[in-house]
Each structure stands twice: as structure tokens, then as C-alpha cells.
Amino acid sequence: MIRVTRSAIIDAPIARVWAILRDFNSHTAWHPVVAESSIENDEPSDQVGCVRNFTLRDGNHIREQLLTLSDHEHVSTYCILDATIPMRRYVATVRLKPVTDGARTFWHWESTFDAPRGREQEFADLVGKGVYEGGFAGLRSYLQRGGALRARGAETTDAIPSRGVVVSRFGGPEVLTAATLAAKPPASGEVRIRHTAIGVNYIDVYVRTGRYRMLEPPAPPGMEAAGMVIDVGDGVAHLLPGDRVAYVAPEPGAYVDVRTVPAAHVVALPDDVDEESAATLMLKGLTAEYLLHRTHRVGAGDTILVHAAAGGLGSYLCAWGKALGARIVGTVSSPDKARIARDQGCDVAIVADSGAFADAVLSATGGRGADVIYDGLGGPSHAENLRALAPLGHWVMHGQAGGAHGTLVLGELGAKSATVSAPVLFHYTASRERLEAMASNTFDAFRRGILRPSIRHRYPLASAADAHRDLESRRTTGQLLLFP
Amino acid sequence: MIKVYTSSVIDASADAVWAQVRDFNGLPNWAPFVAESRIEGGLPADRIGCVRNFRLKDGGTIRERLLTLSDYDYQCTYSILESPMNVDNYVATLKLTPVTDGVRTFAEWWAEFDCEPQRESELAEFVGQRVFQAAFDSLKAAFRR
């Protein structure tokens, strides 16, 4: 029995190398000795038991059967069924391992077989040099040509039909209607993503009603989603086909199953962050990150006021603020929501259905007020918020769910020596370095159990109108997701 | 149970790297954080079951038992008996594989252990980067051509 072993380091992440090698019929694209190949009986090329039938450039003909395929171990084992070359009992294994020191791949390729007596060395060289070493060189050159999944052709040169939901005209939830769109191939700096979960946020309602003129109907709303990269355009270094990713983008358009977006908004997901959670962590998680760490550096001893404390963003602010050592005072619209807010870390939950909360905040803080107010309510609550603010307090106006901010009389701020901020998430995420740091902190807070996405409301994408109705009715708590 | 996996590529033959790392008593020669080491009971360092008792440069002491040593597979497995890390059931393996394309070695080092859940990410980072990767970096520097 002859045993041949060859190994190499490939200068590409394991996900990219495996995406090619797991396809049992990909060798025509990258192996220099393979002329033509097809999988018999139209079986998928990742189906164990499938047979590839191929000819070599020297005219020889081989049939090989896939025996093992493991996406977990990155292993593929196959055998020769019959060949015009006198090799018998040939069984080969391809095994990839990650080089964690640099995003590279160790590729081990090994086989055992019998060859005619006296010709053992000839066949050992044929396999070791011609097939394995030739294959290493072929794959390297294929990757350098930008090969990878682009060889599949259709997916990169053609638009992909994308089912989605569009705002057909500005109006109520009923204007959200199903539509088939097209996800164009990624241009330079872009990436095309197949969504697996789409986050629903209150801003989507404003986009739908036209209060925020962020799209021209008919067009899909939606700011955040998670999914899998299909293909990437030129000049995108941080993403590869097959990567699990999530994004929050300043332009709406996430209510679709396939979307092409600027890669600058997209972050790769760590293995321990699932896509459903990620789809709730991008807009709301990153917002909580910058509000608590960048707009104001919250720490022990601070009392913070969080409005809608049982909502998607509010529950993240409660939980993360609590972990930072702050005392959390929250407002909610019902006793049920007060219980949920307390579960998330809210120390004092004020049921403020009437819109009045300042007296309750003052009484919960010994008459002093909150050091930081995270105000997503807007204009109608200005007077209450100013009254609830502690001297030298920081009033952070990050949203206007209740109504536009309107005019603030700056002189009134002097009564408290107050600081006012009007932060916008997309100004913080515009720097790639800051976006990466914000995402990393957010995923870490998720990993440590500080942010616990409570996904209580799941809808098929086509039922986005129901999701909006529920969100606007203030019946929901926690996170809402759409599934394509 | 958490698992930590670190791998690297060293610019030397597997035989050469193995000659450096197979000595279970040889950590002070190449691991940058080890000050001194001895094998308890005067046993040979390649006797399966022997215990190395070594002192870290930061002052801590670790005792580890040799469980597997394979000159055929270039592999060494050991468990921690005592350490300042406060971990349980710690078993680690260092394995070398020749890279036939060029004279290089694919080096893997992995560990499994139990600890309090809130210390998992901190310890995974410590073991994976500040122990295994730091030792690999030292080997890479020693064999740099």
C-alpha cells in the first residue's frame, strides 16, 4: 500500500478555502489537471455518496465518490470508483485547520492506494506532485484571481430576485405591501447578503409614515439585519462569501431577503453571536453602546432615566447601565411593562401612562433628579424631562417617539446648568474603527449576559404590517424580528 | 467545559521544532513566562506519568503531569495538577504537523478545562493568547531565518 501525504499553508481564512473545497465538483475551477467534471445524476455536490465524473487534461477519465463531508471538522474523504489509470483502493482525505495566528489555513491532503508492482514511485509522484502540490498551487492562484465563489458566475454577474416588503406610499401599516425586488451584484465596496433575521425598530414606523423622509415610495424600510454574505465587490477586505454578518445602515432597505449594501456598515459575527440576536443588537445594541459609553460615560454613582424602559432600546439601556453601576429609573406605560423593566435591571419603574413622570423621578431620587436622561420621547415631554433632570445633568435627546423636538429655550437650561446632546447613531458608526469597537463591545456585553435579547415577537417578512401595528399599539415588549 | 485552540506556523522542520518542545522539563528554554522547572522524584522527562513542577516569572507555581508523548505524531498531552489559575479538569495537547510545502511546521495547542462561567472568556483569552500564542511567538522568533 502506498501512502501519500502533502500539506500547505494557504493565505486565506478557512471559511473561504472550505467554501471552495467542500464543493465536490469545484475542482474544474481551480485544479490545473482537471479538464471537465460533472456530478452524476444531477445530485448536489455536497451530498455524501455523490459521484464526480471527470476527465484530466491528459485524457484520462476518473469517477470518484464522496464518502465523508464535515462542515464541522472541515474534512472531505473520497475514493476512486473506476479510472483509466491503474490505481486501486484509492481513498483520499482533505482536511483543513485554521491557523489562528493570522487568518490562514492549514491544508492536509492524504491518501492510500495500490499501484502496479514496480511503478509505486511513479504513482506516488503522480498523486503527490501532480495532484496535491499542483492542487495547492492551483487553488492559490484561483484565490488570487478573486475566485472563491465568484466562479459560480450567475450569482455575481446577475441581479438576484429579492422578495421583500415596501412602503407603497406614506401611511399606516396597511401601506406595507409585498414586492419582488432585485439585489444587484455588489459593486466596488459593496457586499450582497442573504438575510436570515431582520430587526424592527420604531424608526421604521417614521420611515413608513413619511415623518422621516428617508425613502421615496415604493421602497423597502428597515435599518438592521443579519445574514450570510453571498458575494463581495472589489476592495472589500474584511468580508468573505459565507461569512455570518450583521449591519445597521443609514439608508432604509432591510425588509428584503437579499440586499446589496456598502460593506462599511457590515460587521462579521463572532461564532458565539447568533444571527437572531445580532439582528436586535445592531441598531438598539450599538445605540445603547454609544449612549452609555460615548455620549455620556455612565458609571457607578450616576442615576439615569430611561424612557420606554421595557422596549427594545430601553431594556438594553437598563441592563447595560445597571452593569456599569448606575442606578436606573425608568418610565413605562403599564404595570406589566414595569415588571419587565425591573427584570432588565431597572431599579425604579414609573408607570407614566399620562405622560407625567417628573414628580415620580424627583421622589425616587430624593428630590435631586436624574444625572443623565436618555430621552427618546421628544417635544411633548420637554418640560417633564427638564424638571426631572438633576443639577449639572446631561439631557441626551436621541429620539422623538412622542413628537418632534421643536424649540428648546436655551435659557431654561441655565436653571440646572444642564448639558444637552442630540446624538445620532450613524454619526458614531461613520468611522469604521469606531463601528468595529462599538460592535465588539456590544457582542461582548451579549456574551457576558448583560444584553439578553428577549425576542417575543416574530413575524414572517410578509407580515411586516402586523409587526408595525403591534409596535405602534405599544403592546410589544423587547425585540421584534422579521424572518424572510 | 471550555475549549481553547491556538495554531501557528513555524519556519523550521517539525523535527527541529519537536527537538525543542519534546523535553517536558524544557519550558524555561523556550516559554517566555517560565523561570525554572524540575521533574518531581528525579524521573526522566519523557517518562509517561512524570510531573513537572515549574515556577513562572510572575512567581506562581504550576504542576503538570505528562499523559501522552508521541515521537511518531509529534504530540504531547498533559494535565494540570496545581496552578494559580483555579481551573479544573485542565488537559492540554501540543501537536506539530510537518508542512510539506516548504520546510515549515503547523503547530497546534489546545486545552479543555472547567472554570466559573464568568471567568470563561478571560481565561480563554489568557490561555489562548498569553500562554499558547506567546510560546509560539517565542518559537517563531527562535527559528526565524
Side-chain angles (χ1 to χ4, degrees):
Chain A
M1 187 178 71
I2 301 166
R3 177 183 296 271
V4 173
T5 301
R6 291 291 190 278
S7 55
I9 305 294
I10 304 293
D11 198 11
I14 191 168
R16 187 171 193 189
V17 180
W18 182 242
I20 300 165
L21 295 185
R22 79 183 294 284
D23 177 350
F24 198 47
N25 200 38
S26 69
H27 57 171
T28 46
W30 56 270
H31 204 299
V33 305
V34 176
E36 284 175 21
S37 176
S38 64
I39 303 288
E40 295 181 356
N41 302 322
D42 288 328
E43 288 187 321
S45 60
D46 53 3
Q47 178 169 323
V48 172
C50 76
V51 175
R52 66 182 177 194
N53 191 324
F54 60 101
T55 52
L56 302 178
R57 297 207 181 276
D58 65 8
N60 273 299
H61 190 91
I62 301 177
R63 290 177 69 237
E64 291 179 333
Q65 185 169 34
L66 183 62
L67 302 177
T68 304
L69 187 68
S70 169
D71 282 341
H72 179 61
E73 309 239 29
H74 304 106
V75 168
S76 164
T77 298
Y78 56 94
C79 67
I80 289 182
L81 296 179
D82 47 81
T84 54
I85 302 168
M87 286 167 53
R88 299 289 173 262
R89 298 171 58 204
Y90 176 93
V91 181
T93 295
V94 163
R95 178 184 295 274
L96 302 183
K97 291 192 168 184
V99 180
T100 60
D101 176 12
R104 294 173 292 168
T105 302
F106 174 68
W107 177 357
H108 197 258
W109 204 347
E110 186 172 85
S111 59
T112 56
F113 57 92
D114 294 329
R117 193 178 301 270
R119 298 178 66 189
E120 288 89 349
Q121 192 57 47
E122 177 194 338
F123 280 93
D125 286 347
L126 173 79
V127 171
K129 293 183 179 149
V131 180
Y132 297 174
E133 291 177 12
F136 295 152
L139 192 93
R140 283 193 182 111
S141 131
Y142 179 65
L143 286 166
Q144 277 160 10
R145 293 195 308 270
L149 299 187
R150 292 176 201 199
R152 293 179 193 278
E155 291 213 330
T156 53
T157 56
D158 297 345
I160 298 177
S162 176
R163 286 172 301 102
V165 168
V166 298
V167 176
S168 54
R169 61 182 190 286
F170 295 126
E174 71 284 352
V175 306
L176 292 175
T177 53
T180 298
L181 307 157
K184 65 183 175 64
S188 178
E190 289 185 328
V191 58
R192 186 157 49 179
I193 299 168
R194 187 175 300 284
H195 291 162
T196 49
I198 301 159
V200 178
N201 295 284
Y202 218 91
I203 188 176
D204 302 349
V205 171
Y206 302 148
V207 168
R208 189 202 70 215
T209 60
R211 181 165 153 197
Y212 291 175
R213 292 298 290 263
M214 295 172 70
L215 55 74
E216 280 310 311
M223 313 308 290
E224 69 177 333
M228 183 89 77
V229 173
I230 298 172
D231 43 17
V232 299
D234 292 336
V236 177
H238 67 290
L239 297 170
L240 294 166
D243 281 353
R244 298 165 57 253
V245 295
Y247 68 86
V248 54
E251 302 83 24
Y255 285 19
V256 295
D257 68 348
V258 181
R259 184 180 185 192
T260 305
V261 290
H265 306 319
V266 181
V267 296
L269 294 180
D271 287 345
D272 51 5
V273 177
D274 63 283
E275 288 150 45
E276 289 189 15
S277 299
T280 76
L281 289 171
M282 295 309 292
L283 196 151
K284 287 157 288 210
L286 295 190
T287 298
E289 199 278 344
Y290 85 77
L291 288 175
L292 293 167
H293 300 85
R294 297 168 199 271
T295 308
H296 190 100
R297 192 175 288 276
V298 168
D302 287 330
T303 295
I304 69 175
L305 175 60
V306 175
H307 294 303
L313 173 63
S315 56
Y316 284 168
L317 286 172
C318 289
W320 210 343
K322 186 75 184 168
L324 291 169
R327 180 159 184 264
I328 318 290
V329 178
T331 67
V332 292
S333 59
S334 72
D336 279 349
K337 291 190 175 184
R339 196 163 50 243
I340 289 164
R342 279 192 293 269
D343 285 347
Q344 294 288 339
C346 186
D347 295 292
V348 180
I350 298 163
V351 179
D353 208 19
S354 64
F357 53 82
D359 288 336
V361 173
L362 290 168
S363 109
T365 55
R368 192 165 164 276
D371 300 301
V372 187
I373 296 181
Y374 289 114
D375 174 14
L377 298 177
S381 306
H382 273 186
E384 287 286 301
N385 274 317
L386 189 54
R387 222 154 57 76
L389 190 67
L392 312 183
H394 191 173
W395 182 1
V396 181
M397 301 173 162
H398 63 88
Q400 37 191 316
H405 278 302
T407 309
L408 192 65
V409 178
L410 290 176
E412 292 177 5
L413 300 176
K416 297 271 175 90
S417 288
T419 303
V420 171
S421 298
V424 174
L425 170 66
F426 299 112
H427 296 153
Y428 285 83
T429 57
S431 142
R432 179 76 210 170
E433 195 180 342
R434 196 161 47 223
L435 168 63
E436 296 267 10
M438 290 166 65
S440 168
N441 285 344
T442 303
F443 294 149
D444 192 52
F446 169 73
R447 199 174 282 128
R448 288 157 58 201
I450 296 169
L451 299 185
R452 288 172 289 144
S454 70
I455 303 165
R456 293 198 181 83
H457 309 277
R458 300 159 177 271
Y459 309 82
L461 175 54
S463 304
D466 293 336
H468 278 215
R469 276 187 202 99
D470 291 348
L471 187 62
E472 287 176 274
S473 73
R474 305 167 83 188
R475 280 196 300 263
T476 64
T477 57
Q479 318 296 342
L480 287 77
L481 285 184
L482 303 174
F483 294 94
Chain B
M1 173 75 69
I2 73 167
K3 296 182 183 182
V4 177
Y5 177 88
T6 302
S7 58
S8 188
V9 180
I10 296 163
D11 275 337
S13 71
D15 278 331
V17 180
W18 184 243
Q20 176 76 285
V21 304
R22 94 178 278 284
D23 180 2
F24 198 55
N25 197 31
L27 280 181
N29 302 330
W30 62 282
F33 41 83
V34 176
E36 58 183 14
S37 175
R38 66 184 173 86
I39 302 290
E40 295 181 358
L43 294 174
D46 47 9
R47 173 89 175 267
I48 299 303
C50 74
V51 174
R52 65 181 173 196
N53 187 320
F54 59 97
R55 194 169 56 77
L56 302 171
K57 287 183 179 160
D58 71 8
T61 296
I62 300 184
R63 295 177 64 235
E64 293 176 335
R65 183 188 298 281
L66 180 63
L67 301 177
T68 305
L69 188 71
S70 170
D71 285 332
Y72 180 71
D73 289 324
Y74 302 117
Q75 185 168 326
C76 168
T77 298
Y78 57 93
S79 62
I80 286 183
L81 303 178
E82 282 179 51
S83 87
M85 287 198 295
N86 198 15
V87 292
D88 295 317
N89 307 314
Y90 182 105
V91 177
T93 296
L94 172 61
K95 179 177 170 61
L96 308 179
T97 309
V99 179
T100 64
D101 177 36
V103 183
R104 289 184 290 177
T105 297
F106 177 58
E108 298 171 276
W109 207 338
W110 65 89
E112 294 186 355
F113 56 89
D114 295 312
C115 65
E116 298 160 52
Q118 64 270 25
R119 296 180 64 221
E120 282 184 0
S121 62
E122 170 214 341
L123 277 173
E125 208 277 335
F126 178 79
V127 170
Q129 293 304 310
R130 280 186 278 164
V131 180
F132 296 170
Q133 185 61 45
F136 282 155
D137 286 343
S138 160
L139 281 176
K140 282 160 65 179
F143 287 105
R144 188 157 292 138
R145 290 178 296 216

